[in-house]
Amino acid sequence: MTEDFTGSLTPPCSPYITESLELEGSEDGSPPRFTCAQDSCRDGGKMFSFDSYLTTGSLKRLLLKLDPSPTDYETDTVEIFGFHWVTETALVESTDLLFGLLRQKISTLEGLAQPISFDFGQVNNIHNEAEEIRNQCTKFLHYVKVFLYRFLDSSRQNEGSLTHPYEEMNAQLPSKLIEELHGLSLYIGRLSDLPNQILGAFSIQHHGKVLPASWHLLHLHLDIHWSLLEILQILGEKMQGQIVYAHQYINLIGENLTNVSLFEEHCENLMGGLIALAATKYSKVRPSEALSSHIYPCLCIKEMWTLLIQLLDHRSKGSSAESFWTLMNTLLKHLLQGSSGAGAHPICTVVQCKDPLAFCWWLISHLSPLYLLDRSGIVEEQGEITSNWKFVEDLLKKSSDMQNGILEDQLRMHLQCCLSLCDIWEPNLTVATILWEYYSKNLNSLFNISWLGLKSLASVSKTPFSMLEVVKSCCADEQSSDLYKSDNSYLIFLRIMACLMKKAKNNVGAHPWKQIKGRRIPI
């Protein structure tokens, strides 16, 4: 966008700050944001920074339908993008103008992030300007959330006799807001579509030093992506389940656009971008490092995944909305199909991955532990973890299908991921059955990896004592992180079997072995 919003465009209050406005003061504090904080920046040893969406309680307030910021925006006027506006009417009277200013600020920050003519003498000035632009943008998005919560009167949306012009504008706000949010979503695009020099800012660690404009732009994109979902969630709650249609967009374009469809579309695009970022990181991961190499290019991406899990699972309770795993499974299934051409799902073009099956194992094994985090980002060791066994069963069938030509080194990596899931999810004996069907037909295989040498060869226990040691090792509660090199795939299968048997017996008190009876498993 190239809108030129100069002094000729007069907001509700003069852009020149008067003494009376200075006496009124501005809003307190700063809104939550994504920050790659180090240990020194964290509050009380928490995983995320003190001003993150999780640590500040922003997510908790969203899910509990509370005021996004009860202590802010209490004055008659609010400063947005350097202008003062009437707090209770600005978004209604100047929707187009405010979102136009937002796009202009994003464009300015994009200009600062261009590595065309870089002057080291201006590093500090560029940092300050970029940080100020990001602050202005996040404050505006935060204001939109607060405005919707406090001032949107959904009870008058369907009334036919609106006597005052402002009431008519207020009734049109939800529709106009959907159009502006859709335009903003198209303007920023997917995370994975950002230029490489911008995505490269993920590798910059925040030590409280001067940061390049690319870092601020990248994290502003994260803020915008999440804020879009927050705003749509608050709007849906305020409308009490009513579907909001973008009337002007529908009339002009001829396509349906509602608050529900926009939420689903943006959420799918966001998750597609996050999966693409993970795929880029996976391209540099060795199979032996699958569990030790995390999927997050920075801590903010881990927070984004956690926010999505909490929000999507919250929306799915008592409604037809898709849960996190449901949406994730849909995207990954398209990726596994690998279709191309005009009818291909966008995820197939967004995500570049040479081994989609191994990538799916890796991704799910790292996302699952995020269910241990509560709405404040704190680990709950005894928390309830929602499993995704149905999809994992399909992955396991693909991994154990001899027609797919899965090699020993790949199978070890797949089963090590499966073992990590068995450790945190409820027991699923179907997994043991699928694996047994495979190994019962391949017991004569060497289970070796050529580059590991003789230590990767499978060996048969020749004495009762050595057999007992193998059993004890497989039944151990603590599993080595180096199983890829120390155990072959068959021994990892035995560890999976032992883990499932123990958990099934502890959970239901029955005899899970009866479901595997008739199957003799040699050691």
Side-chain angles (χ1 to χ4, degrees), residues 136-155:
Q136 291 180 356
C137 293
T138 53
K139 284 183 178 180
F140 166 64
L141 294 170
H142 195 59
Y143 166 74
V144 174
K145 304 168 200 172
V146 174
F147 185 95
L148 291 177
Y149 183 88
R150 295 183 191 173
F151 308 124
L152 180 63
D153 187 3
S154 60
S155 63

Side-chain angles (χ1 to χ4, degrees), residues 168-197:
E168 294 182 5
M169 295 172 65
N170 187 63
Q172 298 170 4
L173 176 62
S175 179
K176 291 185 64 177
L177 194 58
I178 296 301
E179 294 167 2
E180 291 294 346
L181 294 176
H182 179 255
L184 181 59
S185 178
L186 294 177
Y187 185 79
I188 61 174
R190 287 189 179 90
L191 280 173
S192 55
D193 293 337
L194 288 170
N196 290 332
Q197 71 267 19

Side-chain angles (χ1 to χ4, degrees), residues 149-368:
Y149 183 88
R150 295 183 191 173
F151 308 124
L152 180 63
D153 187 3
S154 60
S155 63
R156 300 182 64 86
Q157 297 298 318
N158 296 325
E159 293 185 11
S161 57
L162 299 175
T163 58
H164 195 277
Y166 180 81
E167 292 180 343
E168 294 182 5
M169 295 172 65
N170 187 63
Q172 298 170 4
L173 176 62
S175 179
K176 291 185 64 177
L177 194 58
I178 296 301
E179 294 167 2
E180 291 294 346
L181 294 176
H182 179 255
L184 181 59
S185 178
L186 294 177
Y187 185 79
I188 61 174
R190 287 189 179 90
L191 280 173
S192 55
D193 293 337
L194 288 170
N196 290 332
Q197 71 267 19
I198 305 300
L199 293 176
F202 273 131
S203 60
I204 301 174
Q205 298 298 318
H206 192 317
H207 294 284
K209 59 185 178 183
V210 174
L211 293 163
S214 60
W215 187 93
H216 293 287
L217 176 61
L218 179 59
H219 287 76
L220 175 59
H221 271 258
L222 294 177
D223 290 322
I224 294 174
H225 277 291
W226 174 244
S227 294
L228 282 171
L229 297 180
E230 282 187 302
I231 292 170
L232 289 168
Q233 175 70 9
I234 295 173
L235 178 62
E237 297 288 356
K238 291 295 292 184
M239 296 304 295
Q240 301 176 355
Q242 301 178 46
I243 302 297
V244 180
Y245 291 87
H247 297 295
Q248 186 175 357
Y249 176 88
I250 296 173
N251 293 335
L252 290 175
I253 308 299
E255 297 179 359
N256 197 28
L257 178 64
T258 68
N259 60 321
V260 177
S261 66
L262 180 57
F263 184 97
E264 294 173 349
E265 177 186 346
H266 184 72
C267 193
E268 183 174 316
N269 288 338
L270 175 56
M271 288 183 66
L274 293 174
I275 293 173
L277 293 177
T280 301
K281 192 167 178 61
Y282 177 72
S283 64
K284 303 175 183 178
V285 174
R286 297 177 179 177
S288 58
E289 303 169 347
L291 293 183
S292 59
S293 300
H294 57 75
I295 66 174
Y296 321 107
C298 86
L299 189 66
C300 299
I301 299 299
K302 184 174 185 177
E303 183 180 8
M304 180 70 86
W305 278 116
T306 306
L307 292 168
L308 286 171
I309 288 173
Q310 293 284 347
L311 178 57
L312 291 178
D313 285 356
H314 172 80
R315 286 171 61 91
S316 68
K317 295 177 180 177
S319 71
S320 59
E322 291 184 315
S323 67
F324 174 79
W325 282 131
T326 301
L327 180 54
M328 175 62 69
N329 294 348
T330 301
L331 295 174
L332 294 184
K333 284 178 181 177
H334 285 293
L335 184 61
L336 287 169
Q337 291 172 357
S339 57
S340 58
H345 192 277
I347 193 72
C348 298
T349 56
V350 172
V351 178
Q352 303 297 322
C353 185
K354 295 182 179 179
D355 188 356
L357 180 59
F359 171 68
C360 289
W361 275 114
W362 181 70
L363 183 64
I364 290 179
S365 63
H366 281 280
L367 289 177
S368 297

Side-chain angles (χ1 to χ4, degrees), residues 45 54 69 81 114 137 200 207-208 346 392 441 451 475:
L54 290 168
S69 189
F81 300 126
Q114 294 298 321
C137 293
H207 294 284
V392 169
K441 302 173 184 176
W451 58 267
C475 295

